[in-house]
């Protein structure tokens, strides 16, 4: 009975307000699943992201396909995070900030896929297809590992370099004084805390 009630609520949300807001999900210990577009509890995690309302994402990316269920990529994320020794929640946060879980996202500068790899970076990481979720996540996590090692585990500097490039972080001896980069670092760390 609980399963049917959950499915009904989920369908009702989808029909009543298609792409009107982000949808969050939380599962009780007894198996009851809750959905909301206005989470009041930290246990709610993003289930479906509304890219249509996000002006920045909408204008920054070509969206041949919208965001997919983040849980779909969980096995790939877990595997790559374990392989390269990177915190799973950090990987999820980067994907969330970079593409909103849209594997087909392409930025105006040419960055592609879930972790928004630039073609030259992807080539250096031996990523065969940046729009292939498995290839993209593996390459992105490998790059994150490299940046974390370069900055001796300092996540803020690694994320700043992921956003603006190693040279800029080296030039300024820390997070570059760009509003976009500073906001990016703050946003990813906030997402990471929510995914934990």
């Amino acid at each position: 009975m609980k399963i049917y009630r959950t499915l009904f609520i989920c369908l009702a949300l989808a029909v009543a307000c298609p792409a009107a807001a982000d949808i969050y999900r939380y599962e009780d210990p007894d198996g009851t699943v809750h959905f909301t577009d206005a989470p009041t509890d930290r246990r709610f995690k993003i289930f479906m992201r509304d890219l249509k309302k996000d002006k920045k994402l909408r204008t920054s990316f070509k969206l041949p396909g919208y965001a997919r269920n983040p849980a779909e990529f969980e096995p790939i994320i877990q595997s790559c995070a374990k392989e390269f020794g990177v915190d799973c929640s950090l990987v999820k946060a980067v994907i969330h900030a970079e593409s909103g879980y849209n594997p087909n996202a392409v930025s105006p500068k040419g960055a592609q896929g879930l972790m928004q790899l630039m073609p030259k970076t992807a080539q250096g990481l031996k990523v065969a297809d940046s729009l292939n979720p498995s290839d993209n996540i593996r390459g992105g996590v490998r790059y994150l590992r490299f940046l974390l090692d370069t900055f001796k585990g300092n996540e803020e500097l690694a994320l700043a370099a992921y956003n603006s490039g190693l040279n800029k972080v080296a030039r300024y001896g820390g997070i570059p004084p760009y509003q976009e980069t500073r906001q990016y670092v703050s946003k990813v760390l906030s997402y990471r805390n929510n995914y934990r």
Side-chain angles (χ1 to χ4, degrees), residues 110-148:
Q112 299 179 328
L114 289 165
M115 296 191 76
Q116 289 292 280
L117 300 176
M118 291 297 287
K120 198 169 184 180
T121 303
Q123 185 179 11
L125 293 165
K126 301 192 183 330
V127 174
D129 180 3
S130 285
L131 296 179
N132 175 296
S134 184
D135 289 354
N136 187 282
I137 292 171
R138 189 171 195 283
V141 175
R142 184 178 177 195
Y143 187 48
L144 265 179
R145 177 74 270 159
F146 165 75
L147 294 173
L148 287 165

Side-chain angles (χ1 to χ4, degrees), residues 44-181:
F44 277 98
K45 302 297 178 194
I46 190 79
F47 175 73
M48 188 182 309
R49 185 165 172 75
D50 172 24
L51 295 183
K52 288 183 181 176
K53 75 166 188 173
D54 191 324
K55 186 176 179 186
K56 186 174 180 184
L57 283 173
R58 189 173 68 242
T59 56
S60 299
F61 298 108
K62 297 174 187 171
L63 299 172
Y66 290 106
R68 302 205 319 234
N69 183 349
E72 179 182 344
F73 306 109
E74 186 72 22
I76 304 168
I77 293 169
Q78 293 278 353
S79 173
C80 294
K82 183 177 180 183
E83 179 182 356
F84 293 105
V86 177
D87 181 9
C88 261
S89 57
L90 184 62
V91 176
K92 292 176 188 178
V94 169
I95 293 173
H96 188 148
E98 289 287 347
S99 67
Y101 279 93
N102 177 3
N104 299 313
V106 179
S107 79
K109 293 181 181 177
Q112 299 179 328
L114 289 165
M115 296 191 76
Q116 289 292 280
L117 300 176
M118 291 297 287
K120 198 169 184 180
T121 303
Q123 185 179 11
L125 293 165
K126 301 192 183 330
V127 174
D129 180 3
S130 285
L131 296 179
N132 175 296
S134 184
D135 289 354
N136 187 282
I137 292 171
R138 189 171 195 283
V141 175
R142 184 178 177 195
Y143 187 48
L144 265 179
R145 177 74 270 159
F146 165 75
L147 294 173
L148 287 165
D149 289 344
T150 300
F151 296 106
K152 299 183 173 146
N154 186 315
E155 290 181 348
E156 290 187 352
L157 294 181
L159 290 171
Y162 195 97
N163 176 260
S164 64
L166 265 170
N167 291 339
K168 301 265 176 65
V169 176
R171 182 191 309 165
Y172 290 101
I175 299 175
Y178 308 133
Q179 185 178 2
E180 178 194 333
T181 301

Side-chain angles (χ1 to χ4, degrees), residues 42-45 89 189-196:
R42 293 189 71 185
R43 293 174 293 184
F44 277 98
K45 302 297 178 194
S89 57
L189 292 176
S190 174
Y191 289 160
R192 193 271 311 274
N193 291 337
N194 289 336
Y195 278 113
R196 277 185 167 168

Side-chain angles (χ1 to χ4, degrees), residues 22-43:
D22 294 339
I23 304 297
Y24 297 82
R25 175 185 182 275
Y26 166 64
E27 185 172 347
D28 275 341
D30 68 357
T32 303
V33 180
H34 305 271
F35 294 91
T36 183
D37 64 349
T40 55
D41 189 303
R42 293 189 71 185
R43 293 174 293 184

